[in-house]
Amino acid sequence: ALISSVQFPAHDVAESGSNVQEGAQSILFFRVIVVTETRRHVSLRTNQIRLFHRDELPGRLHLVTWQSQVLRIYRSLSDGDRSTVQAVFEIPSHPILSGTFAVDSVRNRFFAITAKPSDEPDPSPTLVVANLQDHASHSLLALGGIGRSFYNTSFWNLQACEADGNLLVTTVNASGFAIATLDAISGHVIASHALAFPVRQAVSAVDSQRCLYWFIDASSNTIKSYDWARGTFSGGIELCAIAQSACTTGQPVILHLAFDSNRRQLHIVAGPWQSGDDSSLLTLVAFDPYGSAPVAKVALSAVKSPGSGFVSYAFDFARSLLFVSTATDSETHIDARMITYDMRSNFSSFTVLSHVGRVVGLAVNADSTPVVQTLSPALLQPGLQSHMDARVTITGLNFALTGHLVAKLDGMPCTTVRLSASRLYCTVPPTIDVNAGHVFSVSVDIGGLTSREVGQAGQFQFDAWKTASPASFFTLMPGAIITVSGSGFFEPFTRYRCAFGAPEFHVLSGPPIMSSHSSLEFNVPVWHYSTKSDMELSLLHASSDVGANTILDRAVHHDSILPLRVNLSEMFGHYAPAGALSDGSSEALRILGLGFDPDGYQCMFSSDDPAQHFVRVLASVRSNHEIICTIPKWPYSHGVTRLYLRKKGLPVQYFIQGMPMPSESANFTFKHHWISAQPLSGLITGDTQITIVGYGFDANEAYQCRLTGLGPPYLSADLPTQQRVGGAPGHLKCKTTATTGTAVGLHARVSLLDGSGLPVPLQGISPVFEFQPQWLSISVSVGAAAGGTLVTVRGAGLSNETNFRCMFSDSSLHATADAIFLNSSNIMCISPTWPGPATQAILSIVMTTLSGSPMAEFKLGGTNLPAVFPFEMTQEIVGISPNEVFAHLTTVFRVSGTGFDPTSTSYEC
């Protein structure tokens, strides 16, 4: 009873513990499970052996040219260089009619119909028959001599049926369209049928093994078929329903038809295409004409429309190639070219063929010798063979549906049933050697054509495995040891491999690390794909030593009704970075591992202190090997935390140097740092509180603020923090003293030290704190407006690095005088001449750098004292003129002085 048959796609694998690169082995995964009574027989992909690569199949491209009244046939000398051609046949001829050439690959014959000579009294077309094996052999048959019905007839399409060797041609004359079957030897008409519809010229195809002919009904835009043997018509397949892109403005443009007998597919080369339009692309459509179901439709992105001129097409289905030739006449030369399009890779190559003349046709003379490609199963069990009912399926090419066919195993004929042109099966002959380990060959014979005999194609099995231990495995870790027990294991044991398979992926172990005839021990391989539970364990064997390109071509029989299923575990190891700032501004966390599924992961950061709990973030899976997590803001104190990678609430195992860690977690450090300090200025007398803001602060840690002078000798003062608050963000507070400014200077850089005296990182530019001088009093507060009063200003934190000036001002006037630095507590200045009336002015101090640029605003007194000192400008009489007068006279005299108010009228002498 066939329980299941599953075709798996090809995947790249690499062996664990070897230097084989990933992708070095390409395995076609094909598995069939058959249960007979209580025994379970498993074939794992490689019980279907590929015996030949399809590029080794024979076949030859032929080019048909006509120039200067000479018909020539060229053939390519090398498939690797299709530009190398050689003329193998030439005769004087009239032009070849479009679409009227064909090849019989079974008989190696070429056929073409030439145009009617207009200068002869009895004009008639000619059928050219050339032997492609003996190129000197050809014949010319005058089709007009076979009956009056062919006079004035145009021949449109010609096809050869390889089953009976006859030809089929569509014609058109005054009576309309017709289909005729011709004898390829004499050119006589065997049968003909009138058609009630027009036929598309130069577009037809034939299933040469069934003698079924396809052509296009131009009136209804459908593909119709004609059965050679029965003389009946059928079909009516809508072209637009098959290849929508082949229809332009409601009309299909079909350029070529061809039939692949081995795959039972009809191929259409279609537009849209307009003459002279080189920008349009061709479209290739393949479909099953017997079921009318599209198989594939692909735009030939590498092949543009060939444009105008002579255009021919030919398929080499054995190699999946499409050839397109063009020939355009100009006034000076013939431009002949050929495009070779690989239907497997969608790649095209371009070849210039102008030296061969005008190419009017292409044809592929495929070798019809049968080709054996695969055998399934390749491993037979002696127990089944004893019932004389063991059968093998052989696939290949050219298993023609006509002619006697027989398959041979070890050279002995077997009862053969042909399933299709590419598939047959045969019953194993009872006389074949069924001893365990015996290797037998395979060949196929059809009508005298015999395929190559393939040695070591099949084998009788004698080793089997039963169990694997430890049976308690729930999850297999890379590097763990699994032991496979059975019987009949044979040397060299290094050809055995353990396979862990899921429907979409599988991975192989390395060779056994311990081996015997009944036991094989393997290291569990690294799992490169998504983690899958419930995977099936298989044992494989190679017929040769395992290398980079070795195919493990045999699945060792599993002597059990039920498969053995195991789980492979995901894991993570390397990660970067190993630490980050606590504010969440760092780059993302990159975690590397194996077996990651597409989603469902979280990164969890947890402190060893339960009171601080944890922070979780969603993870993004980039591949089976890589996960990205955003590093979160850490709202607790700095330190080493535990990094967990969790999937659906469960931790993923953490590995270091191939060893699993019991804690299932890695170390991740969140670092404290600060971002700002405020204020950045204060009185030199101290008592200024500085607040530092940052992240990850530990409230129990003894931080210190450090102020370091900007100039020599670069002295520092450390201020203990008086208030500490952790969190995100947190803050620290420290206060200056009366001696801080005098110790470090007026300008000091701010830094932060942790409890160990080490600098705490700063995110940004290091700030500078400025100590401001303090003014206390002045020696006098009254002076003459004429100036000259000596004023001493007392303060604190004064420096000879600064220029001082005394500025006297009222609401509208001011006067300044340079000050003299006496010491850090005193400066002295002489009051200047006041430029206006005596008044109650104010005195302020202006400080500048030695270069003269303003350095700071003045500060007077303590925090509660006024910002200026009051200074009274007094009036003063300095002279009277004249200073003596006659008593009996009234005399005007002048009183001179300073500080007089010119607007006042209240002065009296």
Side-chain angles (χ1 to χ4, degrees):
L2 181 63
I3 303 303
S4 66
S5 175
V6 185
Q7 178 72 46
F8 297 117
H11 287 279
D12 294 335
V13 300
E15 291 190 73
S16 172
S18 70
N19 293 325
V20 179
Q21 294 181 353
E22 184 172 356
Q25 291 180 325
S26 183
I27 293 179
L28 294 176
F29 205 111
F30 182 76
R31 178 174 59 186
V32 176
I33 301 174
V34 179
V35 175
T36 58
E37 298 178 354
T38 59
R39 292 176 62 84
R40 180 174 181 271
H41 306 277
V42 180
S43 70
L44 179 62
R45 63 169 166 75
T46 51
N47 268 6
Q48 183 182 32
I49 296 182
R50 181 170 296 279
L51 304 179
F52 289 106
H53 193 275
R54 57 180 166 183
D55 286 347
E56 297 175 359
L57 298 176
R60 186 76 67 178
L61 175 67
H62 286 73
L63 290 79
V64 184
T65 69
W66 185 85
Q67 188 177 7
S68 302
Q69 304 300 315
V70 176
L71 170 66
R72 292 181 176 87
I73 300 178
Y74 292 82
R75 70 176 180 182
S76 59
L77 298 181
S78 170
D79 287 330
D81 181 10
R82 296 183 176 86
S83 64
T84 304
V85 297
Q86 180 184 36
V88 296
F89 174 84
E90 63 179 43
I91 59 170
S93 168
H94 295 288
I96 295 291
L97 295 177
S98 176
T100 61
F101 50 87
V103 170
D104 185 343
S105 297
V106 173
R107 297 164 183 83
N108 287 296
R109 292 177 181 173
F110 168 80
F111 305 93
I113 299 178
T114 64
K116 296 176 291 185
S118 59
D119 56 348
E120 296 183 6
D122 185 14
S124 61
T126 301
L127 175 65
V128 179
V129 182
N131 190 326
L132 295 178
Q133 286 185 330
D134 181 7
H135 300 293
S137 173
H138 69 275
S139 59
L140 302 176
L141 304 176
L143 297 180
I146 61 177
R148 299 294 301 177
S149 62
F150 277 81
Y151 288 167
N152 300 319
T153 296
S154 294
F155 294 83
W156 281 35
N157 299 310
L158 181 67
Q159 294 289 348
C161 179
E162 296 175 353
D164 58 14
N166 293 326
L167 301 175
L168 191 139
V169 62
T170 55
T171 66
V172 61
N173 55 27
S175 301
F177 289 84
I179 288 182
T181 306
L182 305 181
D183 185 287
I185 304 299
S186 64
H188 288 195
V189 177
I190 299 174
S192 64
H193 296 272
L195 300 178
F197 46 81
V199 176
R200 181 71 56 81
Q201 184 178 11
V203 181
S204 64
V206 63
D207 182 348
S208 60
Q209 296 181 357
R210 296 173 177 81
C211 290
L212 195 66
Y213 171 78
W214 282 280
F215 57 95
I216 295 181
D217 179 351
S219 64
S220 60
N221 297 324
T222 59
I223 297 178
K224 292 187 177 180
S225 63
Y226 173 71
D227 191 318
W228 229 298
R230 296 182 176 86
T232 57
F233 295 90
S234 63
I237 304 171
E238 292 287 344
L239 292 178
C240 291
I242 300 171
Q244 289 82 358
S245 64
C247 299
T248 57
T249 64
Q251 296 297 324
V253 179
I254 304 301
L255 307 179
H256 186 67
L257 286 179
F259 184 75
D260 184 352
S261 298
N262 287 304
R263 298 178 179 85
R264 292 169 54 91
Q265 293 177 6
L266 188 62
H267 291 252
I268 301 176
V269 179
W273 176 76
Q274 298 295 334
S275 178
D277 181 9
D278 292 334
S279 64
S280 59
L281 297 178
L282 301 183
T283 302
L284 176 62
V285 180
F287 72 100
D288 178 5
Y290 300 103
S292 301
V295 175
K297 176 182 175 183
V298 59
L300 306 187
S301 59
V303 183
K304 289 188 177 181
S305 164
S308 60
F310 296 89
V311 184
S312 299
Y313 305 85
F315 280 91
D316 185 345
F317 291 115
R319 294 175 179 80
S320 295
L321 298 176
L322 168 63
F323 302 98
V324 183
S325 71
T326 64
T328 305
D329 294 346
S330 67
E331 294 180 357
T332 59
H333 68 285
I334 295 176
D335 183 11
R337 306 183 181 190
M338 183 171 68
I339 299 171
T340 303
Y341 174 73
D342 191 327
M343 294 182 288
R344 293 168 297 180
S345 63
N346 198 23
F347 176 79
S348 65
S349 59
F350 177 81
T351 305
V352 177
L353 296 175
S354 298
H355 60 286
V356 303
R358 182 187 300 112
V359 178
V360 297
L362 291 176
V364 174
N365 181 30
D367 191 337
S368 57
T369 302
V371 177
V372 176
Q373 289 183 312
T374 63
L375 176 71
S376 178
L379 190 66
L380 299 179
Q381 305 224 1
L384 291 179
Q385 169 58 20
S386 62
H387 299 299
M388 304 300 178
D389 62 353
R391 294 189 304 189
V392 293
T393 300
I394 302 172
T395 62
L397 298 176
N398 299 327
F399 297 165
L401 298 183
T402 60
H404 179 68
L405 179 146
V406 62
K408 296 179 181 180
L409 303 182
D410 252 1
M412 292 175 283
C414 61
T415 303
T416 306
V417 177
R418 183 183 356 233
L419 303 176
S420 69
S422 59
R423 186 167 174 261
L424 57 85
Y425 69 76
C426 71
T427 303
V428 177
T431 55
I432 196 170
D433 183 2
V434 297
N435 291 326
H438 172 68
V439 175
F440 56 89
S441 61
V442 179
S443 64
V444 175
D445 180 64
I446 302 177
L449 298 176
T450 304
S451 66
R452 282 184 284 173
E453 216 175 67
V454 183
Q456 298 186 356
Q459 187 178 13
F460 286 97
Q461 172 184 301
F462 62 93
D463 53 354
W465 69 283
K466 190 176 180 98
T467 62
S469 63
S472 60
F473 271 145
F474 173 74
T475 298
L476 294 176
M477 296 294 180
I481 295 177
I482 185 169
T483 302
V484 178
S485 301
S487 61
F489 302 142
F490 56 92
E491 298 180 359
F493 299 112
T494 54
R495 295 181 180 179
Y496 286 95
R497 295 291 187 274
C498 236
F500 301 84
E504 58 271 37
F505 301 115
H506 63 282
V507 66
L508 295 177
S509 72
I513 56 176
M514 296 290 292
S515 55
S516 68
H517 295 291
S518 59
S519 176
L520 301 172
E521 290 186 5
F522 299 91
N523 281 326
V524 175
V526 174
W527 183 246
H528 288 280
Y529 307 103
S530 297
T531 303
K532 297 293 181 183
S533 60
D534 198 29
M535 287 184 293
E536 185 172 339
L537 179 67
S538 302
L539 184 64
L540 306 182
H541 182 265
S543 58
S544 60
D545 290 340
V546 178
N549 298 311
T550 303
I551 294 179
L552 295 164
D553 49 9
R554 184 170 65 88
V556 179
H557 175 62
H558 184 200
D559 190 9
S560 173
I561 297 178
L562 299 176
L564 180 60
R565 302 190 181 278
V566 295
N567 294 340
L568 289 183
S569 172
E570 61 215 330
M571 53 170 283
F572 80 99
H574 180 71
Y575 60 97
L581 299 177
S582 298
D583 64 350
S585 63
S586 301
E587 61 187 61
L589 175 65
R590 182 170 180 252
I591 299 176
L592 301 181
L594 296 171
F596 296 146
D597 284 342
D599 51 32
Y601 292 92
Q602 287 183 333
C603 289
M604 186 176 79
F605 303 86
S606 175
S607 173
D608 290 334
D609 183 359
Q612 294 193 13
H613 306 296
F614 54 84
V615 176
R616 287 183 296 194
V617 294
L618 292 177
S620 174
V621 181
R622 287 192 174 179
S623 69
N624 304 132
H625 312 280
E626 183 180 8
I627 284 179
I628 300 296
C629 283
T630 301
I631 299 178
K633 181 183 293 185
W634 184 246
Y636 313 110
S637 60
H638 70 96
V640 178
T641 63
R642 312 303 302 169
L643 169 62
Y644 295 90
L645 180 62
R646 301 175 70 85
K647 177 185 176 183
K648 298 180 179 179
L650 298 176
V652 175
Q653 182 63 54
Y654 173 56
F655 275 71
I656 296 181
Q657 296 181 348
M659 300 298 296
M661 295 293 100
S663 64
E664 299 177 331
S665 63
N667 291 337
F668 190 87
T669 302
F670 281 104
K671 306 170 186 177
H672 56 182
H673 67 288
W674 60 290
I675 58 175
S676 66
Q678 292 293 336
L680 293 178
S681 63
L683 295 175
I684 196 168
T685 53
D687 205 34
T688 300
Q689 183 171 268
I690 303 174
T691 300
I692 293 180
V693 179
Y695 292 85
F697 294 152
D698 187 346
N700 299 316
E701 191 169 350
Y703 293 93
Q704 295 186 82
C705 299
R706 172 168 288 183
L707 300 181
T708 304
L710 295 183
Y714 303 105
L715 299 177
S716 298
D718 294 337
L719 308 175
T721 53
Q722 301 173 335
Q723 183 179 5
R724 297 182 291 273
V725 177
H731 63 268
L732 306 171
K733 294 182 181 296
C734 51
K735 184 178 292 187
T736 62
T737 66
T739 61
T740 304
T742 57
V744 301
L746 295 181
H747 298 88
R749 193 169 300 280
V750 182
S751 59
L752 180 65
L753 305 180
D754 62 15
S756 301
L758 299 176
V760 177
L762 166 66
Q763 190 173 9
I765 301 176
S766 178
V768 174
F769 187 87
E770 178 186 357
F771 288 98
Q772 298 170 341
Q774 186 175 27
W775 310 107
L776 301 177
S777 62
I778 56 178
S779 58
V780 295
S781 59
V782 178
T789 303
L790 184 65
V791 180
T792 300
V793 183
R794 292 185 292 273
L798 308 182
S799 171
N800 60 357
E801 298 178 359
T802 306
N803 289 333
F804 297 95
R805 285 189 299 165
C806 296
M807 183 169 69
F808 301 83
S809 62
D810 63 6
S811 60
S812 60
L813 300 173
H814 71 274
T816 60
D818 292 335
I820 300 174
F821 176 81
L822 300 178
N823 52 47
S824 61
S825 301
N826 296 279
I827 62 172
M828 180 180 67
C829 61
I830 298 175
S831 63
T833 300
W834 183 249
T839 184
Q840 180 66 43
I842 59 174
L843 170 62
S844 59
I845 307 299
V846 177
M847 296 185 299
T848 62
T849 61
L850 293 178
S851 62
S853 60
M855 189 178 75
E857 294 294 334
F858 56 82
K859 291 290 183 180
L860 301 175
T863 56
N864 297 321
L865 295 180
V868 294
F869 292 111
F871 191 88
E872 182 180 358
M873 294 293 184
T874 61
Q875 303 176 68
E876 182 181 21
I877 298 175
V878 297
I880 300 174
S881 176
N883 58 0
E884 59 181 9
V885 297
F886 292 100
H888 66 282
L889 297 176
T890 300
T891 304
V892 176
F893 62 93
R894 181 183 301 275
V895 179
S896 60
T898 58
F900 297 157
D901 184 356
T903 63
S904 175
T905 58
S906 60
Y907 288 101
E908 294 181 346
C909 293

